[in-house]
PDB file of all heavy atoms in Angstrom:
ATOM      1  N   LEU A   7       0.817  -1.204  -0.008  1.00 91.00           N
ATOM      2  CA  LEU A   7      -0.055   0.011   0.008  1.00 91.00           C
ATOM      3  C   LEU A   7       0.822   1.275  -0.011  1.00 91.00           C
ATOM      4  O   LEU A   7       0.533   2.221  -0.684  1.00 91.00           O
ATOM      5  CB  LEU A   7      -0.936  -0.010   1.166  1.00 91.00           C
ATOM      6  CG  LEU A   7      -2.100  -1.007   1.049  1.00 91.00           C
ATOM      7  CD1 LEU A   7      -2.814  -1.156   2.413  1.00 91.00           C
ATOM      8  CD2 LEU A   7      -3.085  -0.619  -0.012  1.00 91.00           C
ATOM      9  N   LYS A   8       1.979   1.274   0.779  1.00 90.00           N
ATOM     10  CA  LYS A   8       2.865   2.415   0.764  1.00 90.00           C
ATOM     11  C   LYS A   8       3.505   2.596  -0.598  1.00 90.00           C
ATOM     12  O   LYS A   8       3.634   3.730  -1.084  1.00 90.00           O
ATOM     13  CB  LYS A   8       3.949   2.186   1.840  1.00 90.00           C
ATOM     14  CG  LYS A   8       3.491   2.442   3.209  1.00 90.00           C
ATOM     15  CD  LYS A   8       4.621   2.245   4.195  1.00 90.00           C
ATOM     16  CE  LYS A   8       4.219   2.423   5.622  1.00 90.00           C
ATOM     17  NZ  LYS A   8       5.344   2.245   6.550  1.00 90.00           N
ATOM     18  N   VAL A   9       3.905   1.508  -1.266  1.00 88.00           N
ATOM     19  CA  VAL A   9       4.532   1.624  -2.563  1.00 88.00           C
ATOM     20  C   VAL A   9       3.544   2.147  -3.615  1.00 88.00           C
ATOM     21  O   VAL A   9       3.871   2.962  -4.474  1.00 88.00           O
ATOM     22  CB  VAL A   9       5.148   0.257  -3.016  1.00 88.00           C
ATOM     23  CG1 VAL A   9       5.590   0.243  -4.433  1.00 88.00           C
ATOM     24  CG2 VAL A   9       6.315  -0.126  -2.043  1.00 88.00           C
ATOM     25  N   ILE A  10       2.321   1.667  -3.505  1.00 86.00           N
ATOM     26  CA  ILE A  10       1.248   2.146  -4.390  1.00 86.00           C
ATOM     27  C   ILE A  10       1.025   3.653  -4.169  1.00 86.00           C
ATOM     28  O   ILE A  10       0.883   4.483  -5.043  1.00 86.00           O
ATOM     29  CB  ILE A  10      -0.041   1.374  -4.160  1.00 86.00           C
ATOM     30  CG1 ILE A  10       0.099  -0.025  -4.734  1.00 86.00           C
ATOM     31  CG2 ILE A  10      -1.258   2.097  -4.735  1.00 86.00           C
ATOM     32  CD1 ILE A  10      -1.073  -0.974  -4.435  1.00 86.00           C
ATOM     33  N   GLU A  11       0.991   4.066  -2.854  1.00 88.00           N
ATOM     34  CA  GLU A  11       0.794   5.479  -2.479  1.00 88.00           C
ATOM     35  C   GLU A  11       1.938   6.378  -3.052  1.00 88.00           C
ATOM     36  O   GLU A  11       1.679   7.495  -3.548  1.00 88.00           O
ATOM     37  CB  GLU A  11       0.738   5.559  -0.983  1.00 88.00           C
ATOM     38  CG  GLU A  11       0.523   7.012  -0.476  1.00 88.00           C
ATOM     39  CD  GLU A  11       0.515   7.034   1.006  1.00 88.00           C
ATOM     40  OE1 GLU A  11       1.311   6.377   1.694  1.00 88.00           O
ATOM     41  OE2 GLU A  11      -0.379   7.771   1.532  1.00 88.00           O
ATOM     42  N   GLU A  12       3.116   5.838  -3.044  1.00 86.00           N
ATOM     43  CA  GLU A  12       4.300   6.531  -3.555  1.00 86.00           C
ATOM     44  C   GLU A  12       4.401   6.472  -5.081  1.00 86.00           C
ATOM     45  O   GLU A  12       5.274   7.138  -5.692  1.00 86.00           O
ATOM     46  CB  GLU A  12       5.606   5.994  -2.921  1.00 86.00           C
ATOM     47  CG  GLU A  12       5.652   6.257  -1.443  1.00 86.00           C
ATOM     48  CD  GLU A  12       6.701   5.438  -0.731  1.00 86.00           C
ATOM     49  OE1 GLU A  12       7.399   4.664  -1.411  1.00 86.00           O
ATOM     50  OE2 GLU A  12       6.815   5.537   0.472  1.00 86.00           O
ATOM     51  N   LYS A  13       3.561   5.659  -5.746  1.00 81.00           N
ATOM     52  CA  LYS A  13       3.524   5.494  -7.171  1.00 81.00           C
ATOM     53  C   LYS A  13       4.924   5.014  -7.698  1.00 81.00           C
ATOM     54  O   LYS A  13       5.320   5.384  -8.796  1.00 81.00           O
ATOM     55  CB  LYS A  13       3.153   6.766  -7.868  1.00 81.00           C
ATOM     56  CG  LYS A  13       1.758   7.188  -7.567  1.00 81.00           C
ATOM     57  CD  LYS A  13       1.349   8.451  -8.325  1.00 81.00           C
ATOM     58  CE  LYS A  13      -0.039   8.931  -7.854  1.00 81.00           C
ATOM     59  NZ  LYS A  13      -0.319  10.237  -8.389  1.00 81.00           N
ATOM     60  N   ASP A  14       5.554   4.098  -6.953  1.00 79.00           N
ATOM     61  CA  ASP A  14       6.849   3.572  -7.362  1.00 79.00           C
ATOM     62  C   ASP A  14       6.611   2.285  -8.154  1.00 79.00           C
ATOM     63  O   ASP A  14       6.619   1.147  -7.574  1.00 79.00           O
ATOM     64  CB  ASP A  14       7.729   3.243  -6.065  1.00 79.00           C
ATOM     65  CG  ASP A  14       9.120   2.915  -6.484  1.00 79.00           C
ATOM     66  OD1 ASP A  14       9.413   2.495  -7.587  1.00 79.00           O
ATOM     67  OD2 ASP A  14       9.999   3.004  -5.528  1.00 79.00           O
ATOM     68  N   LEU A  15       6.332   2.455  -9.444  1.00 75.00           N
ATOM     69  CA  LEU A  15       5.930   1.329 -10.243  1.00 75.00           C
ATOM     70  C   LEU A  15       7.095   0.340 -10.425  1.00 75.00           C
ATOM     71  O   LEU A  15       6.806  -0.840 -10.535  1.00 75.00           O
ATOM     72  CB  LEU A  15       5.475   1.802 -11.644  1.00 75.00           C
ATOM     73  CG  LEU A  15       4.189   2.654 -11.603  1.00 75.00           C
ATOM     74  CD1 LEU A  15       3.910   3.245 -12.964  1.00 75.00           C
ATOM     75  CD2 LEU A  15       3.037   1.778 -11.179  1.00 75.00           C
ATOM     76  N   GLU A  16       8.340   0.801 -10.456  1.00 76.00           N
ATOM     77  CA  GLU A  16       9.490  -0.067 -10.605  1.00 76.00           C
ATOM     78  C   GLU A  16       9.544  -1.026  -9.438  1.00 76.00           C
ATOM     79  O   GLU A  16       9.686  -2.252  -9.587  1.00 76.00           O
ATOM     80  CB  GLU A  16      10.761   0.748 -10.730  1.00 76.00           C
ATOM     81  CG  GLU A  16      11.959  -0.143 -11.035  1.00 76.00           C
ATOM     82  CD  GLU A  16      13.284   0.684 -11.183  1.00 76.00           C
ATOM     83  OE1 GLU A  16      13.181   1.804 -11.686  1.00 76.00           O
ATOM     84  OE2 GLU A  16      14.291   0.200 -10.677  1.00 76.00           O
ATOM     85  N   LEU A  17       9.439  -0.512  -8.200  1.00 80.00           N
ATOM     86  CA  LEU A  17       9.551  -1.312  -7.004  1.00 80.00           C
ATOM     87  C   LEU A  17       8.277  -2.226  -6.927  1.00 80.00           C
ATOM     88  O   LEU A  17       8.393  -3.419  -6.634  1.00 80.00           O
ATOM     89  CB  LEU A  17       9.644  -0.432  -5.738  1.00 80.00           C
ATOM     90  CG  LEU A  17       9.610  -1.185  -4.417  1.00 80.00           C
ATOM     91  CD1 LEU A  17      10.722  -2.179  -4.373  1.00 80.00           C
ATOM     92  CD2 LEU A  17       9.784  -0.203  -3.303  1.00 80.00           C
ATOM     93  N   LEU A  18       7.083  -1.666  -7.272  1.00 77.00           N
ATOM     94  CA  LEU A  18       5.889  -2.444  -7.247  1.00 77.00           C
ATOM     95  C   LEU A  18       5.947  -3.697  -8.078  1.00 77.00           C
ATOM     96  O   LEU A  18       5.490  -4.801  -7.774  1.00 77.00           O
ATOM     97  CB  LEU A  18       4.643  -1.581  -7.605  1.00 77.00           C
ATOM     98  CG  LEU A  18       3.286  -2.252  -7.434  1.00 77.00           C
ATOM     99  CD1 LEU A  18       3.001  -2.520  -5.957  1.00 77.00           C
ATOM    100  CD2 LEU A  18       2.235  -1.219  -7.899  1.00 77.00           C
ATOM    101  N   GLY A  19       6.583  -3.495  -9.287  1.00 76.00           N
ATOM    102  CA  GLY A  19       6.741  -4.637 -10.233  1.00 76.00           C
ATOM    103  C   GLY A  19       7.694  -5.711  -9.688  1.00 76.00           C
ATOM    104  O   GLY A  19       7.571  -6.909 -10.171  1.00 76.00           O
ATOM    105  N   ARG A  20       8.598  -5.372  -8.865  1.00 78.00           N
ATOM    106  CA  ARG A  20       9.634  -6.313  -8.378  1.00 78.00           C
ATOM    107  C   ARG A  20       9.237  -6.920  -7.047  1.00 78.00           C
ATOM    108  O   ARG A  20       9.868  -7.932  -6.683  1.00 78.00           O
ATOM    109  CB  ARG A  20      10.952  -5.517  -8.123  1.00 78.00           C
ATOM    110  CG  ARG A  20      11.676  -5.122  -9.418  1.00 78.00           C
ATOM    111  CD  ARG A  20      13.065  -4.651  -9.098  1.00 78.00           C
ATOM    112  NE  ARG A  20      13.127  -3.952  -7.818  1.00 78.00           N
ATOM    113  CZ  ARG A  20      13.500  -2.692  -7.773  1.00 78.00           C
ATOM    114  NH1 ARG A  20      13.834  -2.004  -8.751  1.00 78.00           N
ATOM    115  NH2 ARG A  20      13.539  -2.066  -6.514  1.00 78.00           N
ATOM    116  N   LEU A  21       8.249  -6.450  -6.338  1.00 80.00           N
ATOM    117  CA  LEU A  21       7.924  -6.984  -5.050  1.00 80.00           C
ATOM    118  C   LEU A  21       7.511  -8.446  -5.102  1.00 80.00           C
ATOM    119  O   LEU A  21       6.693  -8.848  -5.989  1.00 80.00           O
ATOM    120  CB  LEU A  21       6.832  -6.152  -4.399  1.00 80.00           C
ATOM    121  CG  LEU A  21       7.106  -4.767  -3.877  1.00 80.00           C
ATOM    122  CD1 LEU A  21       5.916  -4.139  -3.277  1.00 80.00           C
ATOM    123  CD2 LEU A  21       8.208  -4.885  -2.798  1.00 80.00           C
ATOM    124  N   LYS A  22       7.965  -9.207  -4.133  1.00 81.00           N
ATOM    125  CA  LYS A  22       7.587 -10.553  -3.994  1.00 81.00           C
ATOM    126  C   LYS A  22       6.779 -10.656  -2.724  1.00 81.00           C
ATOM    127  O   LYS A  22       7.096 -10.087  -1.744  1.00 81.00           O
ATOM    128  CB  LYS A  22       8.757 -11.525  -3.822  1.00 81.00           C
ATOM    129  CG  LYS A  22       9.799 -11.402  -4.975  1.00 81.00           C
ATOM    130  CD  LYS A  22       9.316 -12.079  -6.239  1.00 81.00           C
ATOM    131  CE  LYS A  22      10.367 -12.113  -7.252  1.00 81.00           C
ATOM    132  NZ  LYS A  22       9.910 -11.847  -8.558  1.00 81.00           N
ATOM    133  N   PHE A  23       5.665 -11.371  -2.767  1.00 81.00           N
ATOM    134  CA  PHE A  23       4.804 -11.461  -1.586  1.00 81.00           C
ATOM    135  C   PHE A  23       3.967 -12.747  -1.652  1.00 81.00           C
ATOM    136  O   PHE A  23       3.840 -13.415  -2.654  1.00 81.00           O
ATOM    137  CB  PHE A  23       3.851 -10.271  -1.567  1.00 81.00           C
ATOM    138  CG  PHE A  23       3.143  -9.947  -2.819  1.00 81.00           C
ATOM    139  CD1 PHE A  23       1.969 -10.581  -3.210  1.00 81.00           C
ATOM    140  CD2 PHE A  23       3.711  -8.979  -3.730  1.00 81.00           C
ATOM    141  CE1 PHE A  23       1.381 -10.277  -4.446  1.00 81.00           C
ATOM    142  CE2 PHE A  23       3.118  -8.719  -4.938  1.00 81.00           C
ATOM    143  CZ  PHE A  23       1.928  -9.384  -5.289  1.00 81.00           C
ATOM    144  N   LYS A  24       3.449 -13.136  -0.505  1.00 85.00           N
ATOM    145  CA  LYS A  24       2.666 -14.321  -0.337  1.00 85.00           C
ATOM    146  C   LYS A  24       1.312 -14.148  -1.009  1.00 85.00           C
ATOM    147  O   LYS A  24       0.735 -12.958  -0.987  1.00 85.00           O
ATOM    148  CB  LYS A  24       2.555 -14.635   1.130  1.00 85.00           C
ATOM    149  CG  LYS A  24       3.900 -14.961   1.767  1.00 85.00           C
ATOM    150  CD  LYS A  24       3.736 -15.223   3.254  1.00 85.00           C
ATOM    151  CE  LYS A  24       5.062 -15.450   3.882  1.00 85.00           C
ATOM    152  NZ  LYS A  24       5.004 -15.412   5.310  1.00 85.00           N
ATOM    153  N   PRO A  25       0.663 -15.202  -1.457  1.00 84.00           N
ATOM    154  CA  PRO A  25      -0.657 -15.124  -2.020  1.00 84.00           C
ATOM    155  C   PRO A  25      -1.762 -14.456  -1.104  1.00 84.00           C
ATOM    156  O   PRO A  25      -2.646 -13.786  -1.556  1.00 84.00           O
ATOM    157  CB  PRO A  25      -1.073 -16.495  -2.376  1.00 84.00           C
ATOM    158  CG  PRO A  25       0.232 -17.282  -2.445  1.00 84.00           C
ATOM    159  CD  PRO A  25       1.161 -16.553  -1.576  1.00 84.00           C
ATOM    160  N   GLU A  26      -1.602 -14.708   0.195  1.00 88.00           N
ATOM    161  CA  GLU A  26      -2.601 -14.188   1.105  1.00 88.00           C
ATOM    162  C   GLU A  26      -2.559 -12.627   1.167  1.00 88.00           C
ATOM    163  O   GLU A  26      -3.461 -11.979   1.626  1.00 88.00           O
ATOM    164  CB  GLU A  26      -2.463 -14.751   2.561  1.00 88.00           C
ATOM    165  CG  GLU A  26      -1.151 -14.750   3.165  1.00 88.00           C
ATOM    166  CD  GLU A  26      -0.238 -15.978   2.929  1.00 88.00           C
ATOM    167  OE1 GLU A  26      -0.618 -16.790   1.984  1.00 88.00           O
ATOM    168  OE2 GLU A  26       0.758 -16.129   3.605  1.00 88.00           O
ATOM    169  N   VAL A  27      -1.442 -12.049   0.695  1.00 88.00           N
ATOM    170  CA  VAL A  27      -1.307 -10.613   0.725  1.00 88.00           C
ATOM    171  C   VAL A  27      -2.370 -10.023  -0.263  1.00 88.00           C
ATOM    172  O   VAL A  27      -3.037  -8.997   0.038  1.00 88.00           O
ATOM    173  CB  VAL A  27       0.123 -10.106   0.394  1.00 88.00           C
ATOM    174  CG1 VAL A  27       0.159  -8.620   0.098  1.00 88.00           C
ATOM    175  CG2 VAL A  27       1.034 -10.466   1.503  1.00 88.00           C
ATOM    176  N   LEU A  28      -2.520 -10.654  -1.447  1.00 87.00           N
ATOM    177  CA  LEU A  28      -3.504 -10.205  -2.425  1.00 87.00           C
ATOM    178  C   LEU A  28      -4.879 -10.324  -1.850  1.00 87.00           C
ATOM    179  O   LEU A  28      -5.752  -9.453  -2.127  1.00 87.00           O
ATOM    180  CB  LEU A  28      -3.365 -10.952  -3.741  1.00 87.00           C
ATOM    181  CG  LEU A  28      -2.207 -10.549  -4.654  1.00 87.00           C
ATOM    182  CD1 LEU A  28      -2.185 -11.398  -5.909  1.00 87.00           C
ATOM    183  CD2 LEU A  28      -2.216  -9.133  -4.996  1.00 87.00           C
ATOM    184  N   LYS A  29      -5.111 -11.378  -1.144  1.00 90.00           N
ATOM    185  CA  LYS A  29      -6.451 -11.569  -0.461  1.00 90.00           C
ATOM    186  C   LYS A  29      -6.729 -10.463   0.500  1.00 90.00           C
ATOM    187  O   LYS A  29      -7.775  -9.884   0.538  1.00 90.00           O
ATOM    188  CB  LYS A  29      -6.547 -12.911   0.243  1.00 90.00           C
ATOM    189  CG  LYS A  29      -6.532 -14.108  -0.735  1.00 90.00           C
ATOM    190  CD  LYS A  29      -6.584 -15.391   0.055  1.00 90.00           C
ATOM    191  CE  LYS A  29      -6.472 -16.568  -0.908  1.00 90.00           C
ATOM    192  NZ  LYS A  29      -6.380 -17.834  -0.194  1.00 90.00           N
ATOM    193  N   GLU A  30      -5.664 -10.096   1.322  1.00 91.00           N
ATOM    194  CA  GLU A  30      -5.842  -8.985   2.235  1.00 91.00           C
ATOM    195  C   GLU A  30      -6.039  -7.631   1.586  1.00 91.00           C
ATOM    196  O   GLU A  30      -6.908  -6.859   1.975  1.00 91.00           O
ATOM    197  CB  GLU A  30      -4.589  -8.872   3.060  1.00 91.00           C
ATOM    198  CG  GLU A  30      -4.808  -9.073   4.543  1.00 91.00           C
ATOM    199  CD  GLU A  30      -3.524  -9.032   5.381  1.00 91.00           C
ATOM    200  OE1 GLU A  30      -2.554  -8.316   5.024  1.00 91.00           O
ATOM    201  OE2 GLU A  30      -3.618  -9.695   6.408  1.00 91.00           O
ATOM    202  N   LEU A  31      -5.343  -7.423   0.421  1.00 90.00           N
ATOM    203  CA  LEU A  31      -5.583  -6.241  -0.344  1.00 90.00           C
ATOM    204  C   LEU A  31      -6.973  -6.118  -0.896  1.00 90.00           C
ATOM    205  O   LEU A  31      -7.643  -5.088  -0.847  1.00 90.00           O
ATOM    206  CB  LEU A  31      -4.599  -6.139  -1.535  1.00 90.00           C
ATOM    207  CG  LEU A  31      -3.169  -5.712  -1.175  1.00 90.00           C
ATOM    208  CD1 LEU A  31      -2.248  -5.917  -2.371  1.00 90.00           C
ATOM    209  CD2 LEU A  31      -3.103  -4.260  -0.712  1.00 90.00           C
ATOM    210  N   LYS A  32      -7.519  -7.298  -1.305  1.00 89.00           N
ATOM    211  CA  LYS A  32      -8.887  -7.325  -1.824  1.00 89.00           C
ATOM    212  C   LYS A  32      -9.871  -6.963  -0.738  1.00 89.00           C
ATOM    213  O   LYS A  32     -10.764  -6.207  -0.903  1.00 89.00           O
ATOM    214  CB  LYS A  32      -9.152  -8.723  -2.402  1.00 89.00           C
ATOM    215  CG  LYS A  32     -10.517  -8.793  -3.030  1.00 89.00           C
ATOM    216  CD  LYS A  32     -10.676 -10.175  -3.689  1.00 89.00           C
ATOM    217  CE  LYS A  32     -12.012 -10.270  -4.381  1.00 89.00           C
ATOM    218  NZ  LYS A  32     -12.166 -11.532  -5.061  1.00 89.00           N
ATOM    219  N   VAL A  33      -9.665  -7.597   0.431  1.00 90.00           N
ATOM    220  CA  VAL A  33     -10.574  -7.307   1.593  1.00 90.00           C
ATOM    221  C   VAL A  33     -10.570  -5.836   1.959  1.00 90.00           C
ATOM    222  O   VAL A  33     -11.552  -5.209   2.180  1.00 90.00           O
ATOM    223  CB  VAL A  33     -10.134  -8.150   2.821  1.00 90.00           C
ATOM    224  CG1 VAL A  33     -10.903  -7.749   4.077  1.00 90.00           C
ATOM    225  CG2 VAL A  33     -10.457  -9.644   2.533  1.00 90.00           C
ATOM    226  N   ILE A  34      -9.284  -5.268   2.010  1.00 89.00           N
ATOM    227  CA  ILE A  34      -9.173  -3.825   2.462  1.00 89.00           C
ATOM    228  C   ILE A  34      -9.832  -2.977   1.424  1.00 89.00           C
ATOM    229  O   ILE A  34     -10.556  -1.990   1.728  1.00 89.00           O
ATOM    230  CB  ILE A  34      -7.699  -3.489   2.562  1.00 89.00           C
ATOM    231  CG1 ILE A  34      -7.098  -4.188   3.836  1.00 89.00           C
ATOM    232  CG2 ILE A  34      -7.498  -1.992   2.674  1.00 89.00           C
ATOM    233  CD1 ILE A  34      -5.616  -4.143   3.882  1.00 89.00           C
ATOM    234  N   SER A  35      -9.554  -3.180   0.131  1.00 89.00           N
ATOM    235  CA  SER A  35     -10.132  -2.387  -0.934  1.00 89.00           C
ATOM    236  C   SER A  35     -11.686  -2.463  -0.900  1.00 89.00           C
ATOM    237  O   SER A  35     -12.320  -1.399  -1.012  1.00 89.00           O
ATOM    238  CB  SER A  35      -9.672  -2.834  -2.301  1.00 89.00           C
ATOM    239  OG  SER A  35      -8.324  -2.703  -2.391  1.00 89.00           O
ATOM    240  N   ASN A  36     -12.183  -3.642  -0.824  1.00 88.00           N
ATOM    241  CA  ASN A  36     -13.659  -3.789  -0.730  1.00 88.00           C
ATOM    242  C   ASN A  36     -14.250  -3.139   0.449  1.00 88.00           C
ATOM    243  O   ASN A  36     -15.323  -2.443   0.384  1.00 88.00           O
ATOM    244  CB  ASN A  36     -14.040  -5.256  -0.842  1.00 88.00           C
ATOM    245  CG  ASN A  36     -13.831  -5.890  -2.217  1.00 88.00           C
ATOM    246  OD1 ASN A  36     -13.722  -5.246  -3.149  1.00 88.00           O
ATOM    247  ND2 ASN A  36     -13.714  -7.204  -2.203  1.00 88.00           N
ATOM    248  N   TYR A  37     -13.602  -3.308   1.565  1.00 87.00           N
ATOM    249  CA  TYR A  37     -14.087  -2.656   2.807  1.00 87.00           C
ATOM    250  C   TYR A  37     -14.119  -1.168   2.721  1.00 87.00           C
ATOM    251  O   TYR A  37     -15.094  -0.505   3.005  1.00 87.00           O
ATOM    252  CB  TYR A  37     -13.163  -3.102   3.974  1.00 87.00           C
ATOM    253  CG  TYR A  37     -13.479  -2.541   5.324  1.00 87.00           C
ATOM    254  CD1 TYR A  37     -14.557  -3.024   6.089  1.00 87.00           C
ATOM    255  CD2 TYR A  37     -12.727  -1.533   5.889  1.00 87.00           C
ATOM    256  CE1 TYR A  37     -14.862  -2.547   7.352  1.00 87.00           C
ATOM    257  CE2 TYR A  37     -12.987  -1.003   7.089  1.00 87.00           C
ATOM    258  CZ  TYR A  37     -14.095  -1.523   7.869  1.00 87.00           C
ATOM    259  OH  TYR A  37     -14.412  -0.970   9.081  1.00 87.00           O
ATOM    260  N   TYR A  38     -13.015  -0.586   2.208  1.00 87.00           N
ATOM    261  CA  TYR A  38     -12.931   0.896   2.095  1.00 87.00           C
ATOM    262  C   TYR A  38     -13.900   1.407   1.018  1.00 87.00           C
ATOM    263  O   TYR A  38     -14.490   2.441   1.207  1.00 87.00           O
ATOM    264  CB  TYR A  38     -11.535   1.311   1.872  1.00 87.00           C
ATOM    265  CG  TYR A  38     -11.370   2.778   1.973  1.00 87.00           C
ATOM    266  CD1 TYR A  38     -11.490   3.479   3.134  1.00 87.00           C
ATOM    267  CD2 TYR A  38     -11.188   3.607   0.824  1.00 87.00           C
ATOM    268  CE1 TYR A  38     -11.408   4.812   3.278  1.00 87.00           C
ATOM    269  CE2 TYR A  38     -11.089   5.011   0.916  1.00 87.00           C
ATOM    270  CZ  TYR A  38     -11.231   5.592   2.159  1.00 87.00           C
ATOM    271  OH  TYR A  38     -11.131   6.937   2.246  1.00 87.00           O
ATOM    272  N   LEU A  39     -14.001   0.682  -0.042  1.00 85.00           N
ATOM    273  CA  LEU A  39     -14.927   1.111  -1.117  1.00 85.00           C
ATOM    274  C   LEU A  39     -16.360   1.118  -0.603  1.00 85.00           C
ATOM    275  O   LEU A  39     -17.075   2.088  -0.857  1.00 85.00           O
ATOM    276  CB  LEU A  39     -14.817   0.162  -2.352  1.00 85.00           C
ATOM    277  CG  LEU A  39     -15.718   0.520  -3.491  1.00 85.00           C
ATOM    278  CD1 LEU A  39     -15.468   1.894  -4.051  1.00 85.00           C
ATOM    279  CD2 LEU A  39     -15.577  -0.551  -4.610  1.00 85.00           C
ATOM    280  N   ASN A  40     -16.786   0.086   0.119  1.00 85.00           N
ATOM    281  CA  ASN A  40     -18.121   0.122   0.715  1.00 85.00           C
ATOM    282  C   ASN A  40     -18.350   1.210   1.721  1.00 85.00           C
ATOM    283  O   ASN A  40     -19.381   1.838   1.701  1.00 85.00           O
ATOM    284  CB  ASN A  40     -18.449  -1.300   1.344  1.00 85.00           C
ATOM    285  CG  ASN A  40     -18.578  -2.348   0.304  1.00 85.00           C
ATOM    286  OD1 ASN A  40     -19.086  -2.100  -0.773  1.00 85.00           O
ATOM    287  ND2 ASN A  40     -18.176  -3.597   0.637  1.00 85.00           N
ATOM    288  N   PHE A  41     -17.297   1.461   2.509  1.00 83.00           N
ATOM    289  CA  PHE A  41     -17.406   2.573   3.463  1.00 83.00           C
ATOM    290  C   PHE A  41     -17.522   3.929   2.673  1.00 83.00           C
ATOM    291  O   PHE A  41     -18.366   4.706   3.044  1.00 83.00           O
ATOM    292  CB  PHE A  41     -16.066   2.596   4.362  1.00 83.00           C
ATOM    293  CG  PHE A  41     -15.858   3.872   5.020  1.00 83.00           C
ATOM    294  CD1 PHE A  41     -16.694   4.219   6.131  1.00 83.00           C
ATOM    295  CD2 PHE A  41     -14.977   4.843   4.570  1.00 83.00           C
ATOM    296  CE1 PHE A  41     -16.435   5.423   6.840  1.00 83.00           C
ATOM    297  CE2 PHE A  41     -14.801   6.012   5.219  1.00 83.00           C
ATOM    298  CZ  PHE A  41     -15.526   6.380   6.339  1.00 83.00           C
ATOM    299  N   ALA A  42     -16.726   4.072   1.673  1.00 79.00           N
ATOM    300  CA  ALA A  42     -16.738   5.367   0.926  1.00 79.00           C
ATOM    301  C   ALA A  42     -18.077   5.528   0.230  1.00 79.00           C
ATOM    302  O   ALA A  42     -18.670   6.676   0.202  1.00 79.00           O
ATOM    303  CB  ALA A  42     -15.623   5.370  -0.043  1.00 79.00           C
ATOM    304  N   LYS A  43     -18.659   4.486  -0.326  1.00 79.00           N
ATOM    305  CA  LYS A  43     -19.927   4.553  -0.974  1.00 79.00           C
ATOM    306  C   LYS A  43     -20.995   4.998   0.010  1.00 79.00           C
ATOM    307  O   LYS A  43     -21.843   5.864  -0.300  1.00 79.00           O
ATOM    308  CB  LYS A  43     -20.319   3.184  -1.575  1.00 79.00           C
ATOM    309  CG  LYS A  43     -19.656   2.856  -2.835  1.00 79.00           C
ATOM    310  CD  LYS A  43     -20.304   1.498  -3.271  1.00 79.00           C
ATOM    311  CE  LYS A  43     -19.588   0.787  -4.269  1.00 79.00           C
ATOM    312  NZ  LYS A  43     -20.166  -0.504  -4.616  1.00 79.00           N
ATOM    313  N   ARG A  44     -21.026   4.421   1.194  1.00 77.00           N
ATOM    314  CA  ARG A  44     -22.013   4.744   2.184  1.00 77.00           C
ATOM    315  C   ARG A  44     -21.840   6.158   2.707  1.00 77.00           C
ATOM    316  O   ARG A  44     -22.827   6.980   2.774  1.00 77.00           O
ATOM    317  CB  ARG A  44     -21.995   3.798   3.366  1.00 77.00           C
ATOM    318  CG  ARG A  44     -22.513   2.442   3.122  1.00 77.00           C
ATOM    319  CD  ARG A  44     -22.715   1.641   4.388  1.00 77.00           C
ATOM    320  NE  ARG A  44     -21.571   1.653   5.216  1.00 77.00           N
ATOM    321  CZ  ARG A  44     -20.493   0.799   5.159  1.00 77.00           C
ATOM    322  NH1 ARG A  44     -20.488  -0.097   4.243  1.00 77.00           N
ATOM    323  NH2 ARG A  44     -19.465   0.906   6.023  1.00 77.00           N
TER     324      ARG A  44
END
């Protein structure tokens, strides 16, 4: 999330992470989107 916020595309493309991180990102995004909509 920090790398995305900094718009560091080079680093974002190189990052290695566990599959559960994408699941967490999805949960956070959906949670925040629903909050923002309401």
